[in-house]
Amino acid sequence: MQVTEFFRRVDPKYSGTDWKDRQFFANNEEVAKNFPSERSQPREHRPWGAAEAAELAADDDALDLISLGKQIRHLRKQSELSLDELGEAVGTAPSQLSLIENGKKEPKLSLLRSLARALGVSSDELLGAKPPNRRVALEIELERAQRGKQYRDLGLPSVKPSSRIPTEFLEALVGLHRELEHQVNLHTATPEEARRANTELRRRMREKDNYFGDIEAEARQLLGHVGYRSGPLSQHQISDLASYLRFSLHHVDDLPHSTRSVTDLRNRRIYLTPNKDSSHDPRTVLLQALASHVLQHEVPRTYLEFLGQRVATNYLAAALLIPEASAVKFLRKAMDEKEIAIEDLRDLFAVSYEAAAHRFTNLATRHLDIRTHFQKVHKSGIIFKAYENDDVTFPADPTGAIEGQPVCRYWTSREVFDVPDKFNAFNQYTDTPSGTYWCTARTERGPDGEFSLSIGVPYESAKWFRGKETTARSISRCPDPDCCRNPPSALAETWAGHAWPTARAASSQFAAMPMGSFPGVDETEVYQFLERHSLR
């Protein structure tokens, strides 16, 4: 049994299913996090990009061995033992111990236990210990950086962080590596990286069935402080919640155009717009601003972390607007009557259909044992966002990303656009290569055009839903290109070689991801806004 296998058992950070939910969406490997008392400044933002993909594919075992080796060396020197003396105590050659201390050899569990006894600590303490001081943390970060593909590709020699190297020198080297990553990311923060981040985030959500108990518990505690009992969460209760969290609310007409809200953490003010024409529920906007504070978010270091924070804030806002206890009680009653309907959940809590559909995916598997999928699809047939844990097969590009991919035209999310009745939900069974699914869908129009919003479940779960008796049925053979990607042969024979369409391509399709701490937000404009209002 190797140490890394044991390490995963004793330290929950190596098991995604054991992470705390509020940390589930974040990258938590930064050295400064090991020394919270030394963090006098907010965490420095390092843009997302190629390094993000490298982190997702990194060999975590090798990185763990670096920390383990440093810990063994520190404890050995603290005990005033030489390599020869420690080797004799544990029955191992000094040369083998040197490889272990340098993170180049993984010890067997039996040797690990012997080392722990000789050094006066438990095996768990040896494996799970944080760096004992700032210098060791710097040495670990330097070795990790030098072992990364980004540095190896430069063909430069590595610097061994021996005790003779001054700490200031290590600080400078680590700073250079951070800046190297920063500069590389500035040039490679492309839509491809955003797609990879979305794919990874969707995988994590699927792993948890899109349910995060830690955030649900946070929502229950907050609701208790404002005396919530049942029904929709009122604006008055949300205002009370802001007061409980010691924030004052300010409605202004000059909110930066790239923002929905701005929070002044220094003066504990939240600035909102009184614009009633906004497509966003003002309750949701305020709750999202409060959620970032409650979840203790810091400036995102990567695009994946930015997306994760957005999902977490949206989740907490939804858990407040559609509280778990009330929603589950309502859904179970509807299930008993075989009358589950997303529009009823929408109406009960006075939220949008999209918010109700998202919330259903949070609760369906956990509380109703129903596996499900959600889609938001543009009228052009392109996926805007989607989630599944019922094995439905979404179209995907080679990176696994589904955003921007065309949905089969025979799926409910496409068929609904041709239904004349826009008042009632459209229900349909669709036979696909991965099984038969029942789906319910509606269309809504927003600033970006018309979208369909659909919830689907496997055939055997359709019995719990209103609309299960629909006679609408279609067959999808996608990803077979002859299903709907290729034109019918008769049309192709007539028009092949005689048509030249001009495609409508979004400029963002070719642009790099927006730079800065928060993608798409003009930070200068935000700071100028805060400066103006702080003087009032």
Side-chain angles (χ1 to χ4, degrees):
M1 181 178 179
Q2 296 295 301
V3 169
T4 46
E5 180 183 354
F6 179 76
F7 199 106
R8 289 191 178 96
R9 295 184 182 180
V10 300
D11 190 342
K13 79 175 182 179
Y14 288 91
S15 172
T17 57
D18 292 332
W19 289 353
K20 283 292 186 181
D21 294 333
R22 73 173 63 187
Q23 296 175 335
F24 183 80
F25 305 99
N27 297 321
N28 298 308
E29 299 177 354
E30 190 171 358
V31 171
K33 280 190 174 291
N34 294 325
F35 302 91
S37 63
E38 296 179 19
R39 290 180 55 196
S40 58
Q41 298 297 327
R43 183 171 59 169
E44 177 188 4
H45 170 60
R46 291 192 285 164
W48 43 89
E52 186 58 47
E55 284 183 17
L56 296 180
D59 181 356
D60 287 340
D61 292 350
L63 302 186
D64 301 335
L65 294 181
I66 294 174
S67 298
L68 176 62
K70 293 292 182 185
Q71 182 69 5
I72 292 173
R73 176 176 291 165
H74 172 77
L75 292 172
R76 176 175 64 80
K77 291 187 174 182
Q78 193 175 63
S79 301
E80 298 182 351
L81 294 173
S82 67
L83 280 172
D84 290 336
E85 290 170 333
L86 182 58
E88 183 177 351
V90 299
T92 298
S95 59
Q96 296 301 304
L97 283 180
S98 179
L99 290 174
I100 292 171
E101 288 189 354
N102 288 312
K104 296 179 180 179
K105 181 178 175 62
E106 181 177 341
K108 291 183 178 180
L109 185 55
S110 57
L111 176 56
L112 174 73
R113 288 169 174 161
S114 297
L115 286 168
R117 283 194 297 271
L119 297 171
V121 296
S122 68
S123 298
D124 288 5
E125 289 172 331
L126 190 60
L127 287 170
K130 296 178 180 179
N133 53 52
R134 176 67 176 170
R135 180 184 174 87
V136 173
L138 287 169
E139 291 178 358
I140 291 172
E141 184 173 358
L142 179 60
E143 290 207 31
R144 286 177 175 176
Q146 291 181 154
R147 292 188 187 189
K149 183 179 183 299
Q150 185 172 292
Y151 185 77
R152 293 199 311 269
D153 287 347
L154 296 176
L156 298 174
S158 296
V159 175
K160 185 177 180 180
S162 68
S163 58
R164 294 188 297 273
I165 296 179
T167 301
E168 293 78 7
F169 187 68
L170 289 177
E171 293 272 9
L173 283 177
V174 169
L176 285 172
H177 278 284
R178 289 174 179 170
E179 183 61 24
L180 172 64
E181 178 186 329
H182 174 94
Q183 292 299 323
V184 169
N185 292 341
L186 286 179
H187 297 288
T188 57
T190 64
E192 180 180 356
E193 296 306 323
R195 289 194 294 271
R196 290 184 185 277
N198 267 308
T199 301
E200 170 63 12
L201 188 59
R202 196 171 62 255
R203 182 194 67 77
R204 296 182 182 185
M205 293 164 67
R206 189 184 196 278
E207 185 180 81
K208 301 275 285 186
D209 290 328
N210 208 20
Y211 177 86
F212 298 94
D214 218 31
I215 300 180
E216 298 284 0
E218 198 78 64
R220 286 194 295 272
Q221 184 177 11
L222 292 171
L223 290 168
H225 285 297
V226 296
Y228 172 82
R229 295 291 179 267
S230 62
L233 187 67
S234 68
Q235 289 196 4
H236 176 72
Q237 288 173 314
I238 296 174
S239 178
D240 286 348
L241 183 58
S243 298
Y244 166 72
L245 295 171
R246 297 187 295 113
F247 282 100
S248 59
L249 306 180
H250 302 265
H251 288 81
V252 295
D253 295 319
D254 61 338
L255 199 70
H257 73 281
S258 58
T259 65
R260 297 178 189 173
S261 69
V262 174
T263 302
D264 178 353
L265 297 174
R266 177 183 299 162
N267 299 301
R268 304 192 73 80
R269 298 176 178 177
I270 297 178
Y271 294 99
L272 305 159
T273 177
N275 183 8
K276 292 183 172 57
D277 296 329
S278 172
S279 60
H280 302 288
D281 184 338
R283 296 178 304 162
T284 302
V285 174
L286 175 54
L287 287 174
Q288 288 171 345
L290 293 172
S292 293
H293 169 74
V294 171
L295 297 174
Q296 300 176 8
H297 285 161
E298 296 176 325
V299 177
R301 181 172 60 94
T302 64
Y303 191 69
L304 175 61
E305 190 170 350
F306 166 75
L307 289 180
Q309 288 183 1
R310 188 170 67 177
V311 169
T313 56
N314 289 346
Y315 192 109
L316 181 53
L320 290 167
L321 284 173
I322 309 176
E324 181 178 22
S326 298
V328 170
K329 180 180 178 181
F330 175 78
L331 288 170
R332 282 178 174 161
K333 183 175 184 297
M335 190 176 187
D336 290 340
E337 298 170 355
K338 298 184 177 180
E339 280 285 306
I340 296 177
I342 303 302
E343 53 266 36
D344 289 352
L345 192 65
R346 172 200 64 188
D347 296 342
L348 178 64
F349 292 99
V351 296
S352 68
Y353 187 87
E354 182 175 357
H358 273 300
R359 190 64 175 139
F360 179 78
T361 69
N362 299 149
L363 305 174
T365 306
R366 175 77 174 194
H367 293 287
L368 309 179
D369 198 27
I370 296 175
R371 308 195 79 78
T372 186
H373 65 268
F374 165 82
Q375 295 177 80
K376 183 175 184 179
V377 175
H378 190 264
K379 190 173 185 178
S380 63
I382 299 301
I383 293 179
F384 188 75
K385 63 174 74 169
Y387 161 80
E388 64 82 22
N389 71 348
D390 60 359
D391 297 323
V392 71
T393 304
F394 290 133
D397 67 12
T399 70
I402 62 176
E403 292 77 17
Q405 297 298 304
V407 171
C408 177
R409 64 178 66 250
Y410 301 116
W411 281 23
T412 311
S413 55
R414 293 285 300 275
E415 298 270 21
V416 67
F417 289 107
D418 297 326
V419 176
D421 182 0
K422 301 299 182 184
F423 183 77
N424 294 301
F426 172 65
N427 309 306
Q428 175 181 284
Y429 290 96
T430 306
D431 298 323
T432 77
S434 58
T436 298
Y437 294 87
W438 175 90
C439 299
T440 182
R442 285 181 173 273
T443 60
E444 290 185 354
R445 183 172 294 277
D448 298 320
E450 190 174 1
F451 288 87
S452 71
L453 302 161
S454 63
I455 284 287
V457 297
Y459 177 83
E460 59 271 17
S461 296
K463 62 185 177 183
W464 307 117
F465 290 80
R466 183 186 305 155
K468 54 187 171 294
E469 64 283 349
T470 181
T471 58
R473 191 157 194 147
S474 68
I475 298 175
S476 167
R477 291 180 288 111
C478 284
D480 181 349
D482 289 332
C483 176
C484 63
R485 300 290 178 94
N486 294 338
S489 56
L491 283 175
E493 289 175 6
T494 302
W495 291 105
H498 300 287
W500 190 273
T502 301
R504 177 184 293 177
S507 60
S508 59
Q509 194 172 330
F510 309 102
M513 296 305 300
M515 291 164 54
S517 301
F518 302 95
V521 172
D522 186 331
E523 292 183 53
T524 300
E525 187 179 15
V526 170
Y527 295 157
Q528 290 173 340
F529 167 83
L530 287 175
E531 186 69 17
R532 287 197 307 273
H533 283 272
S534 66
L535 300 175
R536 295 182 181 179

PDB file of all heavy atoms in Angstrom, residues 27 115 125 152 179 184 190-191 237 248 255 406 422 467 476 484 520:
ATOM      1  N   ASN A  27     -10.250  26.689  -5.886  1.00  0.00           N
ATOM      2  CA  ASN A  27      -8.918  26.097  -5.839  1.00  0.00           C
ATOM      3  C   ASN A  27      -8.267  26.545  -4.542  1.00  0.00           C
ATOM      4  O   ASN A  27      -8.139  27.720  -4.277  1.00  0.00           O
ATOM      5  CB  ASN A  27      -8.066  26.587  -7.011  1.00  0.00           C
ATOM      6  CG  ASN A  27      -8.653  26.163  -8.333  1.00  0.00           C
ATOM      7  OD1 ASN A  27      -9.160  25.058  -8.463  1.00  0.00           O
ATOM      8  ND2 ASN A  27      -8.608  27.039  -9.312  1.00  0.00           N
ATOM      9  N   LEU A 115       8.926   6.056  10.211  1.00  0.00           N
ATOM     10  CA  LEU A 115       9.400   7.443  10.227  1.00  0.00           C
ATOM     11  C   LEU A 115       8.621   8.258  11.245  1.00  0.00           C
ATOM     12  O   LEU A 115       9.179   9.070  11.984  1.00  0.00           O
ATOM     13  CB  LEU A 115       9.267   8.057   8.829  1.00  0.00           C
ATOM     14  CG  LEU A 115      10.282   7.596   7.785  1.00  0.00           C
ATOM     15  CD1 LEU A 115       9.863   8.053   6.389  1.00  0.00           C
ATOM     16  CD2 LEU A 115      11.671   8.140   8.110  1.00  0.00           C
ATOM     17  N   GLU A 125      -0.561  12.819  11.345  1.00  0.00           N
ATOM     18  CA  GLU A 125       0.050  14.146  11.517  1.00  0.00           C
ATOM     19  C   GLU A 125       1.125  14.375  10.463  1.00  0.00           C
ATOM     20  O   GLU A 125       1.280  15.471   9.924  1.00  0.00           O
ATOM     21  CB  GLU A 125       0.645  14.290  12.913  1.00  0.00           C
ATOM     22  CG  GLU A 125      -0.409  14.399  14.019  1.00  0.00           C
ATOM     23  CD  GLU A 125       0.206  14.351  15.407  1.00  0.00           C
ATOM     24  OE1 GLU A 125       1.276  13.720  15.563  1.00  0.00           O
ATOM     25  OE2 GLU A 125      -0.387  14.925  16.329  1.00  0.00           O
ATOM     26  N   ARG A 152       9.309  23.491 -17.225  1.00  0.00           N
ATOM     27  CA  ARG A 152      10.151  22.505 -17.901  1.00  0.00           C
ATOM     28  C   ARG A 152      10.317  22.829 -19.384  1.00  0.00           C
ATOM     29  O   ARG A 152      11.379  22.622 -19.965  1.00  0.00           O
ATOM     30  CB  ARG A 152       9.556  21.099 -17.746  1.00  0.00           C
ATOM     31  CG  ARG A 152       9.578  20.560 -16.333  1.00  0.00           C
ATOM     32  CD  ARG A 152       9.426  19.040 -16.332  1.00  0.00           C
ATOM     33  NE  ARG A 152       8.322  18.590 -17.151  1.00  0.00           N
ATOM     34  CZ  ARG A 152       7.087  18.400 -16.712  1.00  0.00           C
ATOM     35  NH1 ARG A 152       6.802  18.657 -15.437  1.00  0.00           N
ATOM     36  NH2 ARG A 152       6.134  17.967 -17.502  1.00  0.00           N
ATOM     37  N   GLU A 179       4.694  35.475 -11.635  1.00  0.00           N
ATOM     38  CA  GLU A 179       4.575  36.425 -12.740  1.00  0.00           C
ATOM     39  C   GLU A 179       4.654  35.716 -14.086  1.00  0.00           C
ATOM     40  O   GLU A 179       3.968  36.100 -15.046  1.00  0.00           O
ATOM     41  CB  GLU A 179       5.671  37.487 -12.630  1.00  0.00           C
ATOM     42  CG  GLU A 179       5.577  38.587 -13.706  1.00  0.00           C
ATOM     43  CD  GLU A 179       4.272  39.364 -13.643  1.00  0.00           C
ATOM     44  OE1 GLU A 179       3.639  39.400 -12.570  1.00  0.00           O
ATOM     45  OE2 GLU A 179       3.887  39.933 -14.688  1.00  0.00           O
ATOM     46  N   VAL A 184       1.835  34.209 -19.018  1.00  0.00           N
ATOM     47  CA  VAL A 184       1.362  33.164 -19.929  1.00  0.00           C
ATOM     48  C   VAL A 184      -0.156  33.174 -20.015  1.00  0.00           C
ATOM     49  O   VAL A 184      -0.753  33.082 -21.085  1.00  0.00           O
ATOM     50  CB  VAL A 184       1.872  31.776 -19.471  1.00  0.00           C
ATOM     51  CG1 VAL A 184       1.181  30.665 -20.250  1.00  0.00           C
ATOM     52  CG2 VAL A 184       3.376  31.686 -19.660  1.00  0.00           C
ATOM     53  N   THR A 190      -8.450  32.124 -23.304  1.00  0.00           N
ATOM     54  CA  THR A 190      -9.323  32.114 -24.461  1.00  0.00           C
ATOM     55  C   THR A 190     -10.647  31.449 -24.132  1.00  0.00           C
ATOM     56  O   THR A 190     -10.809  30.833 -23.079  1.00  0.00           O
ATOM     57  CB  THR A 190      -8.651  31.349 -25.602  1.00  0.00           C
ATOM     58  OG1 THR A 190      -8.493  29.982 -25.175  1.00  0.00           O
ATOM     59  CG2 THR A 190      -7.291  31.948 -25.946  1.00  0.00           C
ATOM     60  N   PRO A 191     -11.609  31.533 -25.052  1.00  0.00           N
ATOM     61  CA  PRO A 191     -12.865  30.811 -24.832  1.00  0.00           C
ATOM     62  C   PRO A 191     -12.663  29.319 -24.614  1.00  0.00           C
ATOM     63  O   PRO A 191     -13.471  28.679 -23.938  1.00  0.00           O
ATOM     64  CB  PRO A 191     -13.636  31.093 -26.131  1.00  0.00           C
ATOM     65  CG  PRO A 191     -13.135  32.422 -26.581  1.00  0.00           C
ATOM     66  CD  PRO A 191     -11.669  32.415 -26.227  1.00  0.00           C
ATOM     67  N   GLN A 237     -38.083  40.978   4.258  1.00  0.00           N
ATOM     68  CA  GLN A 237     -37.221  40.001   4.938  1.00  0.00           C
ATOM     69  C   GLN A 237     -35.803  40.036   4.388  1.00  0.00           C
ATOM     70  O   GLN A 237     -34.835  39.876   5.134  1.00  0.00           O
ATOM     71  CB  GLN A 237     -37.819  38.600   4.793  1.00  0.00           C
ATOM     72  CG  GLN A 237     -39.073  38.380   5.638  1.00  0.00           C
ATOM     73  CD  GLN A 237     -39.739  37.048   5.350  1.00  0.00           C
ATOM     74  OE1 GLN A 237     -39.917  36.667   4.191  1.00  0.00           O
ATOM     75  NE2 GLN A 237     -40.118  36.335   6.402  1.00  0.00           N
ATOM     76  N   SER A 248     -25.870  48.291   4.611  1.00  0.00           N
ATOM     77  CA  SER A 248     -26.939  49.233   4.266  1.00  0.00           C
ATOM     78  C   SER A 248     -27.145  49.192   2.757  1.00  0.00           C
ATOM     79  O   SER A 248     -26.209  48.924   1.992  1.00  0.00           O
ATOM     80  CB  SER A 248     -26.593  50.652   4.716  1.00  0.00           C
ATOM     81  OG  SER A 248     -25.388  51.096   4.104  1.00  0.00           O
ATOM     82  N   LEU A 255     -25.052  53.207 -11.461  1.00  0.00           N
ATOM     83  CA  LEU A 255     -24.330  51.956 -11.258  1.00  0.00           C
ATOM     84  C   LEU A 255     -23.543  51.618 -12.525  1.00  0.00           C
ATOM     85  O   LEU A 255     -24.051  51.780 -13.633  1.00  0.00           O
ATOM     86  CB  LEU A 255     -25.325  50.831 -10.956  1.00  0.00           C
ATOM     87  CG  LEU A 255     -24.764  49.571 -10.295  1.00  0.00           C
ATOM     88  CD1 LEU A 255     -24.368  49.868  -8.858  1.00  0.00           C
ATOM     89  CD2 LEU A 255     -25.803  48.455 -10.327  1.00  0.00           C
ATOM     90  N   PRO A 406     -24.978  22.693 -30.894  1.00  0.00           N
ATOM     91  CA  PRO A 406     -26.373  22.618 -31.344  1.00  0.00           C
ATOM     92  C   PRO A 406     -27.077  21.370 -30.816  1.00  0.00           C
ATOM     93  O   PRO A 406     -26.535  20.266 -30.868  1.00  0.00           O
ATOM     94  CB  PRO A 406     -26.239  22.570 -32.870  1.00  0.00           C
ATOM     95  CG  PRO A 406     -24.893  21.952 -33.114  1.00  0.00           C
ATOM     96  CD  PRO A 406     -24.023  22.400 -31.983  1.00  0.00           C
ATOM     97  N   LYS A 422     -48.100  29.229 -26.149  1.00  0.00           N
ATOM     98  CA  LYS A 422     -46.971  29.691 -25.335  1.00  0.00           C
ATOM     99  C   LYS A 422     -47.348  29.865 -23.866  1.00  0.00           C
ATOM    100  O   LYS A 422     -46.506  30.221 -23.044  1.00  0.00           O
ATOM    101  CB  LYS A 422     -46.444  31.028 -25.872  1.00  0.00           C
ATOM    102  CG  LYS A 422     -45.973  30.982 -27.316  1.00  0.00           C
ATOM    103  CD  LYS A 422     -44.830  30.015 -27.513  1.00  0.00           C
ATOM    104  CE  LYS A 422     -44.326  30.006 -28.944  1.00  0.00           C
ATOM    105  NZ  LYS A 422     -43.258  29.002 -29.175  1.00  0.00           N
ATOM    106  N   GLY A 467     -48.520  16.178 -17.068  1.00  0.00           N
ATOM    107  CA  GLY A 467     -48.174  16.193 -18.483  1.00  0.00           C
ATOM    108  C   GLY A 467     -47.610  14.874 -18.975  1.00  0.00           C
ATOM    109  O   GLY A 467     -47.229  14.755 -20.147  1.00  0.00           O
ATOM    110  N   SER A 476     -34.822  10.807 -31.748  1.00  0.00           N
ATOM    111  CA  SER A 476     -33.544  11.475 -32.001  1.00  0.00           C
ATOM    112  C   SER A 476     -32.470  10.409 -32.161  1.00  0.00           C
ATOM    113  O   SER A 476     -32.289   9.564 -31.276  1.00  0.00           O
ATOM    114  CB  SER A 476     -33.187  12.411 -30.848  1.00  0.00           C
ATOM    115  OG  SER A 476     -31.840  12.825 -30.942  1.00  0.00           O
ATOM    116  N   CYS A 484     -30.108  14.932 -37.922  1.00  0.00           N
ATOM    117  CA  CYS A 484     -30.557  16.301 -38.221  1.00  0.00           C
ATOM    118  C   CYS A 484     -29.423  17.227 -38.616  1.00  0.00           C
ATOM    119  O   CYS A 484     -29.675  18.381 -38.974  1.00  0.00           O
ATOM    120  CB  CYS A 484     -31.323  16.887 -37.041  1.00  0.00           C
ATOM    121  SG  CYS A 484     -30.342  17.067 -35.539  1.00  0.00           S
ATOM    122  N   GLY A 520     -15.507  40.649 -17.565  1.00  0.00           N
ATOM    123  CA  GLY A 520     -16.553  41.492 -18.098  1.00  0.00           C
ATOM    124  C   GLY A 520     -16.850  42.730 -17.282  1.00  0.00           C
ATOM    125  O   GLY A 520     -17.664  43.562 -17.689  1.00  0.00           O
TER     126      GLY A 520
END
